[in-house]
Amino acid sequence: MSELNRGKIAANARPLKGKTILMSGGSRGIGLAIALRAAADGANVAIMAKTATAQANLAGTVFTAADQITAAGGAALAIVGDVRNDEDVISAVAQAKERFGGIDVVVNNASAIDLSKTDEVSMKKYDLMMDINVRGTFLLSKTALPHLRESANGHILTLSPPLNLDPKWAGMHLAYTMAKYGMSMTTLGLAQELRGTGIGVNSLWPATLIDTAAIRNMPGGERMVKAARSASIVADAAHAILTSDARTCSGNFFTDEAVLAAAGTTDLSGYSMGADESDLIGDIFL
């Protein structure tokens, strides 16, 4: 990323205690793990998610997530809302500001996935992925910008992959690839646009498969997660980014492994769900 790729990871340079994070999604999985890691520092975490009631095949709601955040040591705000809806996003930003006095971090975690080939993907699912992944990331980031500018260490962190233009990835699942790369384009553009403002804009992506309910619910999912890592590796990497100085950490497409290595953690075996490091399943787009 040329001049912008400064990537200075200095974990805990700017602690999260008392800082406010606004996250899309986060009622379960990687997003919740990131929220709980921040809560352990005493952060305020506002979670905006659609899941107000428990689903049969997916545990967790925005309210149970808030309870867990509080139990972990943070202050929580549960917001039922859809990142695709302008009014919901505007309201979520306003609620976080009103409750906690400001916004220091935006985490674009909400994402939809469909790995179907072009012949098979429905346009309804295509529109869903574009609306949540691309538009939602842009909208939440845009709406929170006035508050991030007032923060002493404002960050935007998006869970999206490096912009790998190897045709392999577009050919495997074109619609999903475009949707995830749209999120990454937001990182690329905002990092440049906000250069010099003190707001750090980065993307984070797991180097290996991560154990989530979505993976477990897939055919063969229980077998797959044995070759995965726990979501805590992404949470620890996110924590290292968000506690680094935003002025010197912007415009990067990080993997969790690379962040932790830069922060001084090289033994990642504790994150494994059971497999040896050599047997872990790598994530896509890398």
Side-chain angles (χ1 to χ4, degrees):
M1 299 257 320
S2 65
E3 296 177 50
L4 264 176
N5 194 13
R6 297 176 292 224
K8 299 293 179 70
I9 296 295
N12 295 314
R14 301 291 186 93
L16 291 177
K17 182 177 177 60
K19 302 298 183 181
T20 297
I21 297 170
L22 174 59
M23 178 185 294
S24 63
S27 55
R28 62 182 69 87
I30 291 172
L32 179 57
I34 292 172
L36 293 177
R37 180 63 186 87
D41 281 5
N44 309 314
V45 186
I47 296 250
M48 181 184 70
K50 287 176 59 182
T51 312
T53 57
Q55 301 179 26
N57 60 338
L58 288 174
T61 69
V62 66
F63 301 109
T64 60
D67 289 342
Q68 290 179 259
I69 289 164
T70 302
L77 175 62
I79 304 170
V80 178
D82 188 339
V83 76
R84 295 174 293 173
N85 185 290
D86 293 20
E87 289 72 24
D88 284 1
V89 171
I90 292 168
S91 175
V93 169
Q95 288 182 61
K97 165 71 172 177
E98 181 179 3
R99 172 72 177 273
F100 299 120
I103 298 172
D104 301 286
V105 174
V106 166
V107 178
N108 291 302
N109 167 71
S111 184
I113 181 172
D114 187 324
L115 301 180
S116 299
K117 298 288 188 181
T118 300
D119 284 342
E120 299 164 351
V121 69
S122 71
M123 290 312 296
K124 181 177 180 180
K125 184 57 74 71
Y126 176 93
D127 289 342
L128 180 71
M129 289 191 288
M130 289 297 175
D131 283 349
I132 293 177
N133 300 8
V134 187
R135 191 180 190 278
T137 294
F138 184 89
L139 176 61
L140 184 60
S141 301
K142 166 187 168 64
T143 307
L145 275 180
H147 306 296
L148 292 173
R149 288 191 174 97
E150 296 177 359
S151 173
N153 196 48
H155 279 275
I156 298 173
L157 182 64
T158 298
L159 298 181
S160 67
L163 288 165
N164 184 348
L165 296 184
D166 185 335
K168 168 185 176 181
W169 300 116
M172 286 183 68
H173 28 65
L174 178 58
Y176 181 63
T177 298
M178 287 194 292
K180 292 306 290 188
Y181 282 9
M183 297 174 75
S184 298
M185 285 296 295
T186 304
T187 292
L188 180 71
L190 276 180
Q192 180 65 34
E193 183 179 336
L194 299 175
R195 186 177 184 181
T197 66
I199 300 173
V201 187
N202 298 285
S203 281
L204 176 62
W205 194 245
T208 68
L209 195 67
I210 299 297
D211 176 21
T212 63
I215 295 296
R216 288 179 178 270
N217 286 334
M218 293 174 61
E222 292 296 330
R223 173 185 53 81
M224 292 172 65
V225 297
K226 293 179 181 178
R229 286 178 173 146
S230 73
S232 59
I233 188 172
V234 187
D236 287 345
H239 181 269
I241 296 168
L242 299 178
T243 57
S244 293
D245 189 338
R247 295 169 298 178
T248 56
C249 184
S250 187
N252 302 282
F253 293 98
F254 290 117
T255 64
D256 50 5
E257 287 183 354
V259 171
L260 294 180
T265 301
T266 54
D267 182 4
L268 305 179
S269 59
Y271 296 110
S272 173
M273 297 300 295
D276 293 334
E277 289 288 299
S278 60
D279 294 326
L280 293 171
I281 299 174
D283 212 322
I284 58 178
F285 300 122
L286 301 177

